[in-house]
């Protein structure tokens, strides 16, 4: 029951927040509940077997029998860290939004908790329709978060976000239904279970564009690419980020984008191995273009939040590159980079939110010399900047290094180009850092009527766990990689004939996917 | 022709008898009281009692697969489910009539009498398998409806709506009757059951029969607003008092689709590729026209009206699926389930619209919803649920309605129709989001009308809860529908 509790506790929390009578303590309640959720999710480690390659802690029963749709959840080394990333970031987000969200506080936390359920469900669902329900559900609270608590152009941004991502995923739904019929053809029994999908032999007639596998591949890949967001379907992201309130940006960059890359890892690559291999060049190209394009556009942004938003396009390009390298370095690095990006970019958005709260502006040119006024803030910002540009000993370095190593092994050409993104990343981040923190004091900084205050205890509490993670993940990557290694290796080695087994709790025997019921 | 009417026939049509008797109560009482209205609540109570009785009788006798009146009526799963959905929609609409400024007043008894008579026509329509019976049901339902719309004491709009509805409805009836004549000419009978098994063959061999079927289908395309015969829908939906619109959009639509389904289920489509293609294109065009026009509307009711055209397009996909599949039950249950979901969310949406109307001539624009979420968080939440469900966002019932229907279409190889349907639902998202945007994200002071609307509020909340909760148990409901059709 542990997975179900992790997924649905937040939904219960949302209800609790909704009926909580005291408006002034809603924040405390929400914070407490989200910490409980985090602690509950930590209990995963108690029974997680890092050496197993299959699905663990599986819960499944028939949901819609007519179509073989199951309530089916399971966890492995790939989803484990994404679940923890989600539960780890949520209390931080609540604490970070303590003073920035002042209106409709209750509604905000309800949205946040519903969103948490949707995201966790997406990472844990192992049935296609069940997965799709969570996938789409996640749009609704995010839509409200940007639309209600966002900036001036929030309505444009939030509608664009909703329509873009929805447009991507409806074709995926058609593909899912089609695959359910394929399972019926193959086994006589309709099923939407991912494990049954893995068993399908979908025809791929040597590279022709209209082979069935290619079409299904693109139906899924489009949905995930929009979510990632990969170049050229990334345009909703800068808008959404700029207009979203700080917590919305953090959750968007921290977790929601990972639903896309996770989708590639869990669904696209193992389900359509030949098509993935054939079209890998396209996605590596998209990834590489994204890295360079995102970095170049970030460089010229006058708005610091937009800069970080475009840097996300760049960073997510790395992940795509790593995943389509199809080797342990690339995929492992890709997964690691998902966590890194969640932490570093999440932290960057929080930091930007803190300074925005003080000055109500995000324009780089109006800052300058901030280091002299806000020393603690500067230190935190510097550490996170280092992590973002992947300086050794920080988390970012490990991920990017592995990805480039993996890419070099499989497609060196892409690695040559992608590596320039490392340099460009350093350029735009450090240049921004220089302009904001050093030099002449800008008009916002020296405004004597509103002296800037350095970080308070609450804000430091928000940032410290993130900084700890930056160094922990940078210095001891094996603490994290060891948990995913078996699953990643299994994916890499059996990509063309992938299957997942269900690991029975407490027993050493492994049941085969098809037999396990 | 030998007509034997036995007790079993009377038992089978007992739901209609119950409805009819209940419809007489209010006007009889009014006559006995010297032409004075009894309390509206009593009138409503009498009507609802009749509806509940009819539903119970329909549950008891409905799914028995028996025919009555010389194969004129059939009481199978379609009758039962569609009948119950239509009656529930009609009941909910009557609750709204009770509180609506346009419909309460001196003539409430007459209104309820007409609505109940229309409901009797609906029950005939869902069970009719003889084309003349279909015609009787259709006319009984429609004539009462024309009167209902026209008799509201609202000014111009509803009179105009009634006239439009009457003229175009009569046109549709004429087309239908014309088709029936052709069918009679070519087969010597009007009973669907008599040519059920060889309709596909007849379509190929007899030009006359093909014409007949085509005209009958076109008649229904008018009734269920399939493009290009949809043009009356927005005007009539907007012009009619809101409870009447809810009545039309749910109950009338459901039973019209039921009768349509019976014609299509003859598999005449499989006999003619041209007819099959034309209907597919009409489905696609209906979705596009409905959605594209809905985007441009600022009037809330008109937007829902155009969106209901789009939903007819989706339903058409289900109908075509049911028409071509060997296992017709799957496609048909998709249609029934979709209508169930559609009925709940449409009634809900119109209930909210009715609450926002300050007087019978008040037009509710989408912009008027500004600030509604702050004023009435509960009702705003309900409307959000309805709109998200209409847009097909999981885990609402609307999503499962689309999922089951398009699932059937894909299963029958109508992949391209399913893709069109899915892409169109993305367009739908755009305009369904607009009221939500305005409600939650724009400042304003939208307030519901001053008069008390408790029953309408309860209706809205119940519908919203049903939409969310039934989503989780949609599987068993769908299986139950399908099983009853096999």
């Amino acid at each position: 029951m542990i997975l179900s509790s992790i997924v649905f506790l937040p939904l219960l929390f949302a209800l609790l927040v909704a009926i909580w009578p005291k408006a002034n303590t809603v924040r405390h309640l929400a914070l407490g509940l989200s910490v409980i959720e985090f602690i509950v999710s930590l209990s995963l480690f108690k029974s997680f077997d890092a050496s197993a390659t299959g699905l663990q802690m599986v819960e499944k029963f028939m949901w819609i029998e007519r179509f073989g749709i199951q309530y089916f959840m399971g966890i492995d080394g790939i989803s484990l860290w994404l679940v923890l990333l989600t539960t780890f970031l949520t209390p931080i987000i609540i604490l970070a939004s303590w003073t920035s969200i002042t209106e409709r506080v209750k509604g905000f936390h309800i949205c946040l908790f519903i969103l948490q359920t949707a995201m966790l469900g997406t990472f844990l669902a192992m049935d296609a329709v069940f997965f799709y329900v969570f996938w789409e559900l996640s749009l609704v609270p995010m839509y409200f978060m940007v639309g209600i608590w966002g900036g001036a152009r929030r309505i444009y941004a939030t509608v664009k976000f909703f329509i873009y991502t929805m447009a991507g995923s409806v074709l995926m739904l058609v593909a899912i239904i089609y695959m359910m019929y394929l399972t019926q053809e193959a086994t006589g029994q309709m099923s939407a279970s991912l494990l049954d999908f893995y068993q399908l032999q979908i025809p791929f007639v040597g590279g022709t564009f209209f082979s069935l596998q290619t079409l299904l591949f693109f139906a899924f890949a489009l949905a995930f690419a929009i979510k990632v967001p990969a170049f050229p379907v990334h345009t909703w992201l800068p808008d959404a980020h700029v207009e979203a309130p700080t917590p919305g940006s953090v959750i968007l960059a921290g977790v929601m984008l990972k639903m896309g890359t996770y989708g590639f890892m869990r669904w696209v690559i193992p389900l359509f191995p030949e098509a993935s291999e054939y079209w890998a060049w396209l996605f590596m190209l998209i990834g590489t273009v994204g890295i360079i394009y995102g970095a170049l556009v970030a460089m010229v942004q006058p708005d610091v939040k937009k800069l970080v938003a475009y840097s996300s396009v760049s960073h997510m390009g790395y992940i795509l590159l790593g995943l389509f390298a199809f080797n342990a370095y690339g995929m492992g690095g890709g997964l690691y980079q998902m966590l890194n990006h969640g932490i570093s970019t999440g932290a960057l958005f929080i930091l930007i939110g803190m300074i925005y709260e003080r000055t109500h502006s995000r324009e780089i040119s109006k800052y300058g010399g901030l280091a002299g006024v806000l020393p603690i803030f500067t230190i935190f910002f510097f550490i996170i900047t280092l992590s973002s540009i992947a300086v050794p000993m920080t988390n970012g370095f490990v991920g990017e290094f592995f990805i480039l190593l993996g890419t070099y092994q499989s497609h060196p050409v892409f690695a040559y180009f992608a590596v320039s993104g490392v340099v460009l990343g350093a350029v735009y981040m450090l240049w921004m850092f220089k302009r904001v923190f050093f030099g002449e004091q800008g008009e916002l900084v020296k405004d004597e009527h509103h002296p800037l205050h350095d970080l308070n205890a609450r804000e430091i509490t928000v940032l410290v766990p993130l900084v700890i993670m930056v160094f922990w993940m940078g210095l001891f990557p094996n603490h994290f990689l060891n948990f995913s290694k078996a699953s990643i290796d299994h994916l890499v080695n059996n990509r063309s004939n992938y299957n997942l087994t269900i690991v029975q709790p407490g027993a050493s025997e492994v049941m085969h996917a098809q037999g396990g019921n | 022709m030998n007509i034997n009417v036995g007790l079993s026939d009377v038992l089978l049509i007992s739901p209609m008898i119950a409805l009819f008797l209940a419809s007489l109560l209010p006007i009889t009482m009014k006559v006995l009281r010297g032409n004075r209205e009894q309390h509206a609540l009593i009138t409503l109570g009498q009507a609802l009692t009749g509806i509940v009785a009819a539903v119970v009788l329909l549950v008891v006798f409905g799914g028995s697969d028996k025919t009555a009146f010389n194969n004129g009526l059939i009481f199978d799963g379609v009758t039962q489910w569609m009948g119950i959905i239509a009656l529930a929609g009609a009941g909910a609409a009557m609750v709204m009539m009770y509180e609506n400024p346009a419909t309460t007043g001196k003539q409430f008894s007459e209104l309820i009498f007409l609505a109940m008579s229309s409901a009797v026509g609906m029950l005939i329509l869902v069970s009719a398998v003889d084309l003349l019976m279909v015609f009787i049901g259709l006319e009984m339902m429609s004539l009462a409806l024309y009167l209902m719309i026209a008799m509201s004491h609202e000014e111009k709009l509803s009179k105009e709506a009634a006239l439009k509805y009457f003229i175009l409805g009569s046109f549709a009836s004429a087309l239908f009757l014309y088709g029936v004549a052709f069918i009679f000419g070519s087969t010597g009978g009007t009973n669907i059951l008599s040519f059920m098994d060889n309709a596909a063959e007849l379509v190929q061999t007899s030009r006359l029969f093909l014409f007949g079927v085509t005209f009958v289908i076109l008649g229904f395309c008018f009734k269920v607003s399939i493009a290009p015969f949809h043009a009356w829908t927005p005007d009539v939906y907007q012009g009619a008092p809101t409870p009447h619109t809810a009545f039309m959009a749910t109950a009338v639509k459901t039973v019209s689709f039921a009768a349509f389904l019976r014609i299509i289920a003859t598999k005449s489509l499989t006999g003619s590729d041209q007819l099959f293609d034309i209907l597919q294109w009409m489905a696609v065009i209906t979705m596009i026209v409905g959605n594209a026009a809905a985007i441009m509307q600022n009037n809330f009711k008109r937007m829902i009206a155009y969106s209901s055209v789009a939903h007819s397009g989706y339903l058409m996909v289900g109908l075509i699926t049911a028409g071509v599949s060997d296992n017709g039950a799957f496609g048909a249950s998709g249609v029934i389930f979709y209508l169930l979901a559609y009925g709940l969310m449409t009634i809900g949406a119109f209930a909210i619209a009715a609450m926002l109307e300050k007087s019978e001539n008040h037009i509710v624009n989408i912009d008027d919803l500004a600030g509604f979420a702050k004023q009435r968080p509960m009702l705003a939440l309900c409307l959000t649920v309805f709109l998200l469900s209409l847009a097909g966002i999981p885990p609402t019932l609307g999503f499962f309605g689309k999922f089951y229907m398009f699932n059937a279409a894909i299963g029958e190889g109508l992949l391209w129709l399913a893709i069109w349907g899915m892409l169109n639902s993305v367009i739908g998202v755009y305009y369904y989001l607009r009221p939500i945007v305005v409600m939650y994200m724009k400042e304003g002071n939208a307030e519901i009308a001053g008069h008390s609307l408790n029953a309408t509020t309860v209706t809205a909340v119940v519908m919203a809860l049903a939409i969310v909760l039934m989503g989780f148990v949609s599987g068993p409901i769908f299986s139950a529908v399908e099983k009853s059709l096999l």
Side-chain angles (χ1 to χ4, degrees), chain A residues 63-64 66-67 69 104 129 132 136-137 140 143-144 147-148 154-155 162-163 166-167 170 173-174 177 181, chain B residues 330 384 393-395 399-400 403-404 407 410-411 422 426 429-430 433 436-437 440-441 472 475 478-479 482:
Chain A
W63 181 28
I64 301 176
R66 172 67 175 79
F67 299 102
I69 298 167
R104 308 199 214 178
V129 175
Y132 186 81
E136 287 281 279
L137 178 65
V140 179
Y143 162 75
F144 280 114
I148 298 177
R154 62 186 188 277
I155 292 171
F162 202 107
I163 306 248
M166 171 107 185
V170 287
L173 182 60
V174 176
I177 297 175
Y181 279 99
Chain B
F330 186 13
T384 308
I393 309 286
F399 165 73
F400 288 101
F403 178 77
Y404 293 138
N407 199 321
I410 293 172
M422 288 298 182
V426 178
V429 167
Y430 184 77
L433 287 186
I436 304 181
V437 164
Y440 281 92
M441 303 165 197
F472 296 100
F478 183 83
S479 297
E482 198 184 11

Side-chain angles (χ1 to χ4, degrees), chain B residues 225-263:
Chain B
S225 30
I226 295 294
F229 308 116
H230 67 286
W232 60 272
T233 318
D235 291 340
V236 175
Y237 276 25
Q238 183 200 346
T242 307
H244 297 24
T245 313
F247 192 76
M248 283 189 278
T250 57
V252 174
K253 197 163 188 153
T254 304
V255 294
S256 306
F257 266 108
F260 203 166
L261 187 62
R262 291 206 192 277
I263 307 276

Side-chain angles (χ1 to χ4, degrees), chain A residues 287-288 291-292 318 321 404 407 413-423:
Chain A
T288 313
I291 292 171
I292 297 170
Y318 279 109
L321 202 59
L404 289 172
T407 311
V413 181
F414 290 112
Y416 298 148
F417 284 99
V419 85
S420 69
V422 178
V423 182

Side-chain angles (χ1 to χ4, degrees), chain B residues 171-199:
Chain B
F171 189 57
S173 300
L175 268 185
F176 174 81
L177 216 50
Y178 196 44
V180 174
F182 274 120
I183 291 177
F184 182 75
S186 57
T187 65
T190 52
N191 199 308
I192 296 175
L193 296 176
S194 68
F195 58 79
M196 182 95 189
D197 297 326
N198 50 0

Side-chain angles (χ1 to χ4, degrees), chain A residues 220-252:
Chain A
F220 274 83
L222 178 68
F224 296 135
I226 289 177
K227 201 75 149 202
V228 165
F231 179 87
V233 285
H234 65 282
T235 62
W236 63 269
L237 179 89
D239 285 314
H241 263 319
V242 170
E243 298 307 325
T246 303
S249 300
V250 177
I251 218 153
L252 200 59

Side-chain angles (χ1 to χ4, degrees), chain A residues 8 11 63-64 133, chain B residues 395 397 400 467-476:
Chain A
F8 290 109
L11 204 59
W63 181 28
I64 301 176
V133 168
Chain B
L397 202 56
F400 288 101
I467 284 168
V468 174
L469 296 179
M470 282 166 79
F472 296 100
V473 290
S474 66

